Amino acid sequence: MSSTTTEEKVIPESKEEKKTKEKVTMVVFSGDLDKVLASFIIATGAASMGMDVTMFFTFWGLNAIKKNEAKNTAPGVMKKMLGVLNKGGSKRLPLSKFHMGGMGTSMMKKLMKQHKMPNIDEMIDLAKQMNVKLLACTITLDILGISKDQLREDVIDGYVGAVSYLSEAKDGNVNLFI
Amino acid sequence: MNEEDKPDVVLDAVGLLCPMPAVKTAMELEKMKKGEVIEVLTSDHISKTDLPVWCRETGNQLVDIKDDGEILKIRIRKAI
């Protein structure tokens, strides 16, 4: 018994040892400008701390990684209609509050610019530079009638399902649903 | 100020908001050698609490913080 305790004490508690990378995962469900921005702020902040970051975009969150100039190629009337209403693209994200037909959002964008806050596109670039992993949910793509070529394929690391997200999240030290 | 703590790199992050000072610091430190010192200039006063935490979490060494009211000068030594 006593020998095990001494053995435990001998093992040095080095920082190196602790350096098995900590992990953050995020489900970005919302396509609201403010919420997506908050997601990227947390993601880049965590990456700056040397953490592994995975962002899983699903449902309206996919709008953040949709091309601004994407054409509506959805099959069928319902999906086509959805595509019209839910156009998406980083420049079209509405505020979750005070969108006011776009007026509130454009004012918020101006304020953010004044404060030198990066916009969504700059945030995505920054996240990619810091090796943040961006995943897109395949099932939602089907349901919403979004094709891969409507998405920013240059920044997406994979098209996966819930199971793949969970296999990452179960090792996550911080898992968020935004 | 200790002579040996003279910064090897000065990072101007004035005007940038949270978490950009930490993000830029991390990116800059990546290019630096172990033992070198970076001086981060920032007007984001959250950095006063956030960057020391960042140092603790990443295993880098906080040298000191100077606050002249408007701009913070935070010196960090790359320790990993």
Side-chain angles (χ1 to χ4, degrees), chain A residues 136-149:
Chain A
C137 169
T138 10
I139 310 137
T140 326
L141 290 180
D142 276 350
I143 296 173
L144 298 181
I146 301 171
S147 59
K148 285 182 187 173
D149 57 7

Side-chain angles (χ1 to χ4, degrees), chain A residues 23 162-172:
Chain A
K23 199 166 183 172
V163 172
S164 304
Y165 167 71
L166 285 165
S167 88
E168 300 230 10
K170 78 176 170 48
D171 303 324

Side-chain angles (χ1 to χ4, degrees), chain A residues 10 14 24 30 36 47 53 58 63 125 134 140-141 143 147 174-175:
Chain A
V10 170
S14 72
V24 182
S30 168
V36 173
V53 188
T58 185
N63 282 344
D125 288 344
L134 269 54
T140 326
L141 290 180
I143 296 173
S147 59
V174 179
N175 298 316

Side-chain angles (χ1 to χ4, degrees), chain A residues 44-99:
Chain A
T44 50
S48 86
M49 289 163 70
M51 298 171 95
D52 249 339
V53 188
T54 301
M55 299 173 86
F56 180 72
F57 291 85
T58 185
F59 267 89
W60 319 118
L62 286 167
N63 282 344
I65 50 171
K66 220 165 155 185
K67 287 178 192 152
N68 285 303
E69 63 282 358
K71 288 206 171 69
N72 186 356
T73 50
V77 183
M78 285 210 293
K79 286 182 181 178
K80 198 134 220 141
M81 251 161 51
L82 195 57
V84 172
L85 294 171
N86 182 43
K87 218 165 172 204
S90 61
K91 293 194 165 73
R92 286 195 197 90
L93 305 182
L95 273 183
S96 65
K97 219 173 146 75
F98 306 132
H99 178 58

Side-chain angles (χ1 to χ4, degrees), chain A residues 97-111:
Chain A
K97 219 173 146 75
F98 306 132
H99 178 58
M100 300 190 289
M103 246 166 49
T105 300
S106 84
M107 276 166 76
M108 179 63 87
K109 281 183 180 169
K110 262 190 202 133
L111 283 176

